[in-house]
Amino acid sequence: MNNNTYQIISLLADGKSRSGQEIGDLLNITRSAVWKIMHKLTELGIPVERNQGKGYRFTRPVQMLDKEVIWQALSPKTQQLIPRFTLLDTVDSTNNTMLAKIKEGKPSGSLVLTEHQTSGRGRLGRTWHSPYAANIYLALYWHFTKDTSELSGLSQVISTAVLSALAENNVSDLTLKWPNDIYHGQKKLAGVLIDLIAEPHSSTESVIGIGVNVSMPSTENEIDQPWTDIHTLTNEFPDRNIIVSSILNAIYPALEEFDSQGFAPFVTRWAEHDGLTGKAITAFNAQQEIEGIAEGIGPKGELLIQTSDKMIPFCNGSVRLRDPQAK
Ligand code: BTN
């Protein structure tokens, strides 16, 4: 995104109308250059409205991410755990960017945040819709001196922490769907994608990607599952910088806690928001499908499934509700 585009976004961020002539004069560019930038912004999902006589305005507040604002809202402990913080305009996927940064030797705790992803990745090979300046897309790198087999609860640790950060920002009535989705009712609000790289000597590199829908443009109608966003739930356009800071203040200390104490402290935190307990589910992975009733999670974060004859701990995979209307 070039400097003129940034300046136009800052200028129109207050939601007031400005004519093409006025914008052009301020930026020292032609009206047709202004028009081209507006066209580009519309393509990116920024809701530009053009009114004869009045000029251009954004129909929702558009506020850019600001590294300094985010950093200042972090606790000293979180700041200490983030040795590198990169804010990018656009990337294919923050998880891919972070995987490349690990190869370059970036330290554990490094963080990448972006305004836009061109190939955001979801679980099960899905696409994660990532329109410009609308939502939160971040990934961080964490080095564990543990074997991958000891990390089965990592997804649950992260989603529990993200939920608590959202609740602090008045996004209430959220539930967790094993292994790591955050829902409101039957609609998905946020997701976590973890890439693990097993290393020699029982250590593991992890890239933890988090996506939160904040105010999805109405043009995003291709999402293949029921979804919601913070704007719909709260009727506000929250400051993404504040929400990012809250998420970081929740997940970094949680990672440190998980690293030193394992999953035990997180079992009850998960249970408080578990949206599956008591529901009829099918759990599945490449090897198997298990039907039963979800009965919470075990001491390592595994899903407990009561089948007709026994309780089965299920570690790797996904879940679908057998009655999707069940509340
Ligand atoms: C899911 O399917 O629930 C996981 C979604 C994870 C999306 C986030 S957005 C930031 C990070 N980078 C990606 O490409 N995906 C994750």
Side-chain angles (χ1 to χ4, degrees), residues 65-168:
L65 293 168
D66 185 321
K67 198 170 148 183
E68 198 47 39
V69 172
I70 295 169
W71 188 256
Q72 291 311 326
L74 296 181
S75 68
K77 178 168 179 76
T78 306
Q79 288 184 347
Q80 191 199 324
L81 292 170
I82 306 181
R84 299 266 196 292
F85 176 0
T86 312
L87 171 59
L88 297 168
D89 192 60
T90 182
V91 294
D92 58 348
S93 144
T94 53
N95 276 49
N96 295 352
T97 308
M98 194 44 92
L99 285 165
K101 283 185 184 287
I102 295 178
K103 291 207 182 107
E104 290 165 13
K106 292 287 184 290
S108 177
S110 296
L111 170 72
V112 169
L113 175 68
T114 190
E115 289 286 8
H116 176 226
Q117 298 185 120
T118 53
S119 309
R121 293 198 274 124
R123 295 183 74 241
L124 307 174
R126 285 188 160 123
T127 296
W128 189 257
H129 285 255
S130 310
Y132 193 83
N135 301 320
I136 292 169
Y137 323 109
L138 63 85
L140 67 97
Y141 159 42
W142 198 265
H143 171 83
F144 287 99
T145 45
K146 291 178 196 293
D147 190 81
T148 46
S149 61
E150 292 174 74
L151 296 177
S152 57
L154 178 58
S155 301
Q156 291 84 329
V157 167
I158 299 300
S159 45
T160 310
V162 173
L163 184 147
S164 72
L166 295 174
E168 260 176 38

Side-chain angles (χ1 to χ4, degrees), residues 39-67:
H39 190 68
K40 175 86 190 150
L41 289 177
T42 309
E43 275 178 2
L44 286 169
I46 293 187
V48 181
E49 185 184 76
R50 191 179 178 192
N51 270 335
Q52 215 66 34
K54 282 192 177 162
Y56 299 101
R57 75 175 191 102
F58 293 159
T59 54
R60 66 167 164 86
V62 177
Q63 180 202 34
M64 305 297 282
L65 293 168
D66 185 321
K67 198 170 148 183

Side-chain angles (χ1 to χ4, degrees), residues 144-154 194-206 258 300 315-316:
F144 287 99
T145 45
K146 291 178 196 293
D147 190 81
T148 46
S149 61
E150 292 174 74
L151 296 177
S152 57
L154 178 58
I194 297 183
D195 292 309
L196 295 179
I197 307 166
E199 298 286 355
H201 314 298
S202 293
S203 71
T204 304
E205 314 295 14
S206 68
F258 176 59
K300 292 185 173 154
C315 291
N316 293 308

